[in-house]
Amino acid sequence: MKMNEDARIDVISAISDEHIEAVTIERAEAKRRLRRRRITVGAVSALAACLLIIIQGVLLAVLGLPFGGRVPIYEGMTVSDVNPIETAYSYGYYKDTGADVAYLSSAKAGGKKPLGDGVKEHFGIEASELIHYAKPNEDIYITVKINNPDNYEILSFTLNGEKYSSYMFEDGSDMSNIVLKVNVGDVTGRISYTIDAIKYVDGDRIKDVRMDGERTVEIGIYNENQPTASVEDVNIGYDSLSFSAFVSDPDGILSLTEGKVYAVIYDGEELVKTELAVGIATPVSFEGLSPCAEYQYGIVATYDAYDGEGYVLHTLYENSFNNDPAVSITGMTLLVDTDTVLFNIQQYNGIGKLLRLEVVNEDGEVVQSSDTAVKKFENIPGGKHFIRVIYTYNNGTEQITAESESEKFLLSLDTYPVVGYIGTPYSESHPIYYPNLGEFRLHTGVDFLPSGNSLVYSVVGGCVVTKIYEEREYGLTVEVKDGDIGYTYLYQSLGEAAVKVGDVIDRGEVIGRVGSSSMYETGMLVDHLHFAVKDSGGSVIEPVFTGAKSHPTRVEKPVVGIMVIPYSESHPIYYPNLGEFRLHTGIDFRPTNGTLVYSVVDGVVTDIYEDLTYGLTVKVEDGKGYTYLYQSLGEATVKVGAIVDSGKQIGRAGSSSLYESGMIGNHLHFAVMDSEGNMIDPTLVIEFVEE
Amino acid sequence: MTTKKRAVDDREIIELFFARNEDAIKETDKKYGRYLSVIGNNILNDRGDCDECLNDTYFTTWNKVPPERPRILQAFLSKIMRDVSISCYRKKRSAKRVPAELVGSLEELGDCIVTEADLESDFLIKEIANILNSFLADIDRRKRFIFVCRYYYCDSVKSIAAMLGLSVKTVYRELESLRGMLRERLEMGGINI
């Protein structure tokens, strides 16, 4: 509040005599000097004035330059969060702060990512006019732009009723760009600054600048108390979604910028939205969804958060789900002994027409199928499988073909964890004697003896290594969890682990090497693997192997021909030459195109000899513990010591076998020995690929 | 040959007053009449009122001296002339007239001499005056000269600039700065703005 005029007069009148006297003397002296100067200058000035008049006249006549000054014109204001003039000079370039309403980025509020760009497009929000943004108590710089060609002294200006004199202008200000630092204060929401008047000095008079530009700028002040949303009681059906939504906006930010809030559901193409009220729990329901589809849903709001982004879409809550399929497989029951799986087919509201049921293995191959609504599949091979149901349904617009899959299941294992044999089987009912312990104990696992390399392989894929430790009884152990089935596989008595905890293991991947680290079994067996399985409840179960074999090497057949007599260790065949039944410990191939015999693997020819039983024999060792015998040859085309690659010719088929001569004509008797010299089923070690 | 009479110095004029010689007024008018008229005109901007105030000034001086013996006669006379002119201004300011420099200078002072307190309080006026005098003692000679010339003598900015050999802009800037400094000093002195 201003003191009245009299009070101000009284204040000034109370200036002490000391000051008055001092100034009076100086003032008198100054006036005397001025008089003397004026007398001297007067004559010169008169002459100069004449000359000036002549010059001005010339300028006016020739160039049309006017006399006198041009009134400064206010053109507008810009707002920034740094002193634009200081910034320009310190970086050596001019930073254009833009037109009347400038926008520079401010700190952003953060927040969740919206439900994809597709959601924004559905709201069709147009680019809003941006104002400057700031935080509470932040300093901003207002630059007043004046067209002031004659560089008049700008004395002051009034902003929001407050007068700002020239000494309050920021460093770097000049008479065309006046920078003022203002603190926005402890406020939130939208505030404005209005220039009322600008004064300048013309000679000894104070005049008003002409006001042409926009006089008001608006600032959005960010409020940390942004709207939030929560969702409860979510219920997902095969064609519906329902939940209770609650939106909180304690500081009324939504209403401040005419914002709206919606519950939305989005399938990647179409969006359905419903407007929500603020401050009350609102039930939301979306129906008519497509079964077996992926949806995103959430709560979004359109408003200006005064965070520098303008009026945009904000995501307050988001989630996604895959709703139930129209047809699904439920209630699976596994009958391990019969390799059979029982199940039910569930159809929602009777929609969906069944096309086909399939049993699919881990490699994606269909191992069994049916086009009727069967409730079981039998003789499931070893390994992990799942049931796939393929069906059609009408979504109200068109007929859709869809499929859904059951959970994966495992009836038996089809692969040994080693290249070798079962040494000691699982025995839950008949204890075996442990000499190391001097007592009988149940054998709750399967011991495997390697017959080739010492590697241990994962029996199934989709597993994670969960533990590696030294178990007191069974030594070095790698525990692997099957995420599909819930089983845990224990590879024990290892000599070495080749994985680490957290590794994701595929079927056939190397786990480690066999060893003799088991305290129970050391000395009973040479290096071996103790393999155990626990179910999802942690109980040890018997590992069941169906048609299992060690990991074979895929090779081409040793002849261009067909297999005529397979390996048979259990069913002897009759040898007319011998007049008796014998086991056939090899594979007979009859060539159909020429008689050439090829090596199936890389190796070294270690012997060529006449076998009493199987005739001319070429012996090839692969260096991994296996010996390949090419027998009943008519001719050997390699020499002992030769290094052969797989596919290299080593001889010709013949009928030199005493046992088989005359039985099948020219043929190759192909056999494999393990490192102990035992004849083994060749298909345990190699797998013949079809030509 | 013409003999130019020597100007009477201040000491002699004062002795004339003490001797109750009416030549005192004549010599005072001769030496300071024009000077005092400028002060009056700065406040009143009216020739007639100015002459009236000048006569009142001489009358007041005649009554004051003796017993007072002015240390600096010019300052003594300036103060009286100013006070008389201010009184005249107060009586006649309601009448519409072209405002004098006084009005402009008082308006400028409105930037810095502001308060929420009781406007009629002599104590407050005295408080502010004390702070003002302390302020004037602390600033440099040139700043003090500018302040007193502008707000006590109500000299125009142009004449102040001419006396100091500065530009008008420079003087305006100085005045702005001085008002800002005074404002801060008043705030520090506990005068609520």
Side-chain angles (χ1 to χ4, degrees):
Chain A
M1 191 183 296
K2 290 185 179 179
M3 294 184 82
N4 64 20
E5 202 175 64
D6 288 333
R8 270 177 272 152
I9 289 171
D10 291 341
V11 165
I12 296 298
S13 298
I15 293 178
S16 68
D17 290 346
E18 181 191 342
H19 295 319
I20 300 301
E21 286 171 6
V23 173
T24 302
I25 294 169
E26 288 169 7
R27 187 163 171 271
E29 182 55 35
K31 281 187 180 293
R32 273 196 289 277
R33 282 199 303 271
L34 188 61
R35 269 198 299 276
R36 283 198 292 270
R37 200 162 59 235
R38 277 176 179 161
I39 292 168
T40 309
V41 167
V44 175
S45 296
L47 178 62
C50 291
L51 286 172
L52 183 61
I53 289 168
I54 294 166
I55 292 168
Q56 283 178 338
V58 170
L59 286 172
L60 179 61
V62 174
L63 298 173
L65 291 177
F67 289 176
R70 288 158 283 189
V71 176
I73 303 170
Y74 164 77
E75 293 184 322
M77 282 187 288
T78 61
V79 182
S80 56
D81 47 12
V82 293
N83 185 332
I85 295 173
E86 267 192 351
T87 307
Y89 288 143
S90 45
Y91 289 103
Y93 65 90
Y94 179 66
K95 186 176 176 182
D96 183 12
T97 55
D100 285 353
V101 181
Y103 167 69
L104 291 174
S105 62
S106 301
K108 294 187 181 177
K112 292 184 179 179
K113 193 175 177 181
L115 306 175
D117 292 338
V119 177
K120 283 186 201 172
E121 290 170 5
H122 283 275
F123 280 87
I125 296 173
E126 293 178 0
S128 56
E129 181 190 349
L130 294 173
I131 60 176
H132 186 79
Y133 296 92
K135 290 184 191 173
N137 297 310
E138 195 173 66
D139 286 333
I140 59 171
Y141 291 81
I142 296 176
T143 303
V144 178
K145 293 183 178 293
I146 300 174
N147 184 353
N148 189 3
D150 293 326
N151 210 31
Y152 282 111
E153 175 94 11
I154 302 300
L155 192 63
S156 64
F157 65 86
T158 310
L159 186 75
N160 281 7
E162 287 272 339
K163 187 176 173 186
Y164 294 90
S165 301
S166 58
Y167 71 90
M168 298 161 86
F169 300 163
E170 288 296 301
D171 290 341
S173 297
D174 57 33
M175 294 303 108
S176 295
N177 292 282
I178 297 168
V179 182
L180 183 70
K181 185 165 84 170
V182 175
N183 189 286
V184 298
D186 190 17
V187 294
T188 58
R190 200 154 173 144
I191 63 173
S192 62
Y193 290 92
T194 300
I195 282 208
D196 304 315
I198 306 175
K199 303 281 186 187
Y200 73 100
V201 178
D202 180 5
D204 59 351
R205 295 196 174 277
I206 302 173
K207 296 181 180 177
D208 286 308
V209 169
R210 200 170 89 201
M211 306 296 283
D212 270 4
E214 178 62 50
R215 294 196 187 192
T216 300
V217 288
E218 293 199 309
I219 317 287
I221 310 297
Y222 176 69
N223 185 338
E224 287 191 356
N225 220 4
Q226 292 287 308
T228 57
S230 61
V231 161
E232 288 181 355
D233 301 328
V234 179
N235 200 353
I236 300 171
Y238 87 97
D239 68 346
S240 66
L241 165 71
S242 66
F243 55 85
S244 176
F246 182 82
V247 178
S248 172
D249 182 21
D251 287 356
I253 293 173
L254 286 166
S255 58
L256 206 60
T257 59
E258 296 179 4
K260 291 187 179 180
V261 61
Y262 305 89
V264 300
I265 187 163
Y266 180 59
D267 67 358
E269 286 182 1
E270 288 186 38
L271 173 84
V272 177
K273 63 180 191 274
T274 179
E275 194 168 342
L276 296 175
V278 176
I280 54 171
T282 309
V284 177
S285 177
F286 296 104
E287 294 179 1
L289 309 182
S290 295
C292 206
E294 184 179 345
Y295 286 93
Q296 286 178 284
Y297 71 98
I299 298 175
V300 299
T302 56
Y303 66 98
D304 189 342
Y306 292 151
D307 57 356
E309 298 292 327
Y311 191 95
V312 295
L313 187 73
H314 298 261
T315 303
L316 304 184
Y317 175 89
E318 62 175 334
N319 209 332
S320 63
F321 67 94
N322 286 341
N323 66 344
D324 297 332
V327 178
S328 61
I329 304 292
T330 64
M332 283 199 303
T333 303
L334 306 179
L335 304 179
V336 175
D337 293 340
T338 59
D339 293 336
T340 298
V341 58
L342 309 175
F343 54 89
N344 292 321
I345 299 173
Q346 184 166 11
Q347 286 178 266
Y348 287 92
N349 289 346
I351 70 166
K353 180 186 170 187
L354 185 68
L355 293 181
R356 197 164 64 255
L357 283 162
E358 295 172 339
V359 178
V360 183
N361 68 12
E362 203 171 350
D363 297 325
E365 298 165 336
V366 176
V367 300
Q368 291 191 33
S369 71
S370 169
D371 56 6
T372 60
V374 296
K375 295 292 182 69
K376 69 176 178 181
F377 282 105
E378 297 173 295
N379 301 315
I380 305 290
K384 277 197 279 193
H385 295 79
F386 61 87
I387 298 173
R388 177 191 294 150
V389 55
I390 302 162
Y391 61 95
T392 62
Y393 72 96
N394 192 301
N395 68 352
T397 308
E398 57 181 329
Q399 202 70 11
I400 304 286
T401 300
E403 54 187 55
S404 59
E405 297 173 354
S406 69
E407 291 179 359
K408 287 187 179 153
F409 59 89
L410 181 78
L411 287 163
S412 61
L413 296 165
D414 67 341
T415 308
Y416 286 169
V418 300
V419 175
Y421 302 92
I422 294 177
T424 309
Y426 179 94
S427 178
E428 209 175 33
S429 54
H430 296 94
I432 60 172
Y433 183 71
Y434 287 82
N436 288 349
L437 305 175
E439 58 186 56
F440 284 87
R441 286 206 178 197
L442 297 175
H443 190 242
T444 55
V446 176
D447 288 341
F448 286 91
L449 296 169
S451 59
N453 59 48
S454 59
L455 298 177
V456 174
Y457 304 91
S458 174
V459 293
V460 292
C463 298
V464 175
V465 178
T466 52
K467 286 184 196 176
I468 300 175
Y469 57 95
E470 283 282 348
E471 201 199 56
R472 199 173 72 91
E473 293 87 356
Y474 289 109
L476 180 60
T477 299
V478 171
E479 259 191 41
V480 171
K481 185 74 181 283
D482 186 338
D484 296 320
I485 311 297
Y487 285 179
T488 301
Y489 309 102
L490 293 96
Y491 301 83
Q492 301 182 286
S493 187
L494 295 175
E496 176 189 338
V499 293
K500 56 184 188 302
V501 173
D503 283 352
V504 176
I505 307 294
D506 286 332
R507 189 170 76 156
E509 199 167 320
V510 173
I511 298 280
R513 290 186 182 274
V514 298
S516 303
S517 55
S518 164
M519 184 191 78
Y520 278 14
E521 299 167 344
T522 297
M524 292 171 65
L525 301 165
V526 295
D527 285 355
H528 69 283
L529 168 75
H530 180 85
F531 177 74
V533 178
K534 292 182 183 176
D535 64 15
S536 55
S539 303
V540 174
I541 60 174
E542 179 180 358
V544 177
F545 294 91
T546 302
K549 51 194 175 184
S550 62
H551 294 265
T553 306
R554 292 169 66 84
V555 300
E556 291 189 0
K557 286 182 279 191
V559 298
V560 175
I562 55 175
M563 183 191 299
V564 290
I565 303 176
Y567 177 92
S568 178
E569 208 174 34
S570 55
H571 294 92
I573 62 169
Y574 181 74
Y575 286 82
N577 292 347
L578 304 176
E580 60 186 50
F581 285 88
R582 288 209 177 192
L583 296 176
H584 189 243
T585 56
I587 299 174
D588 284 347
F589 290 94
R590 184 169 68 206
T592 56
N593 190 355
T595 57
L596 293 178
V597 174
Y598 307 94
S599 177
V600 297
V601 294
D602 298 343
V604 177
V605 179
T606 56
D607 202 357
I608 299 176
Y609 61 94
E610 282 287 343
D611 185 272
L612 288 173
T613 312
Y614 289 107
L616 180 60
T617 299
V618 170
K619 194 172 174 182
V620 174
E621 292 186 17
D622 67 0
K624 298 175 185 175
Y626 295 104
T627 302
Y628 302 83
L629 302 168
Y630 302 83
Q631 298 180 297
S632 187
L633 295 176
E635 179 189 355
T637 56
V638 290
K639 291 186 178 162
V640 173
I643 295 174
V644 294
D645 297 329
S646 80
K648 185 178 168 76
Q649 181 192 343
I650 56 170
R652 290 184 181 276
S655 300
S656 57
S657 164
L658 174 66
Y659 276 19
E660 298 166 344
S661 179
M663 285 172 67
I664 50 177
N666 282 347
H667 71 282
L668 167 71
H669 180 85
F670 174 77
V672 177
M673 276 196 310
D674 64 16
S675 57
E676 301 291 321
N678 301 309
M679 290 298 182
I680 63 172
D681 182 352
T683 61
L684 288 176
V685 182
I686 54 178
E687 180 183 331
F688 293 112
V689 297
E690 293 301 319
E691 292 161 13
Chain B
M1 187 168 98
T2 308
T3 305
K4 195 172 180 186
K5 195 175 178 183
R6 167 182 77 83
V8 179
D9 69 19
D10 289 352
R11 202 153 38 93
E12 287 170 328
I13 293 174
I14 291 169
E15 288 307 323
L16 286 172
F17 273 103
F18 268 83
R20 308 317 282 164
N21 187 331
E22 288 180 4
D23 280 347
I25 303 294
K26 201 166 83 175
E27 291 302 324
T28 302
D29 183 54
K30 198 171 165 185
K31 188 171 184 182
Y32 293 115
R34 204 167 154 195
Y35 165 82
L36 293 172
S37 293
V38 169
I39 294 173
N41 200 56
N42 283 348
I43 294 169
L44 298 165
N45 198 29
D46 184 277
R47 186 65 188 273
D49 288 339
C50 226
D51 289 343
E52 215 175 287
C53 288
L54 196 60
N55 286 334
D56 286 344
T57 298
Y58 297 149
F59 182 71
T60 305
T61 307
W62 178 261
N63 289 332
K64 281 193 172 197
V65 183
E68 285 185 55
R69 181 179 284 274
R71 204 164 65 89
I72 298 174
L73 182 60
Q74 190 173 17
F76 183 84
L77 291 168
S78 302
K79 199 165 176 353
I80 296 172
M81 181 65 183
R82 184 180 181 278
D83 290 345
V84 167
S85 300
I86 292 287
S87 297
C88 180
Y89 168 79
R90 279 170 167 159
K91 285 178 198 156
K92 295 188 177 183
R93 67 182 158 194
S94 56
K96 290 184 183 175
R97 57 173 72 208
V98 175
E101 287 294 335
L102 170 71
V103 175
S105 74
L106 289 177
E107 226 174 70
E108 288 170 20
L109 282 175
D111 282 352
C112 52
I113 303 183
V114 294
T115 177
E116 289 181 353
D118 180 4
L119 302 178
E120 302 299 324
S121 165
D122 287 342
F123 174 78
L124 184 62
I125 291 170
K126 202 173 170 186
E127 263 306 296
I128 294 174
N130 283 341
I131 294 173
L132 174 60
N133 280 312
S134 164
F135 167 70
L136 289 172
D138 288 342
I139 58 179
D140 66 40
R141 207 172 113 189
R142 190 177 94 167
K143 285 182 169 35
R144 184 168 52 243
F145 179 90
I146 292 172
F147 189 95
V148 172
C149 285
R150 180 66 184 145
Y151 299 119
Y152 185 84
Y153 285 116
C154 302
D155 285 327
S156 68
V157 173
K158 189 177 175 183
S159 67
I160 297 173
M163 280 192 280
L164 291 175
L166 301 172
S167 70
V168 168
K169 292 178 192 175
T170 305
V171 174
Y172 270 120
R173 230 177 289 155
E174 282 283 10
L175 287 168
E176 291 281 349
S177 172
L178 282 165
R179 290 197 297 272
M181 289 159 64
L182 177 58
R183 188 182 167 102
E184 281 176 17
R185 183 66 77 91
L186 287 170
E187 284 176 0
M188 279 167 53
I191 304 297
N192 293 324
I193 302 295

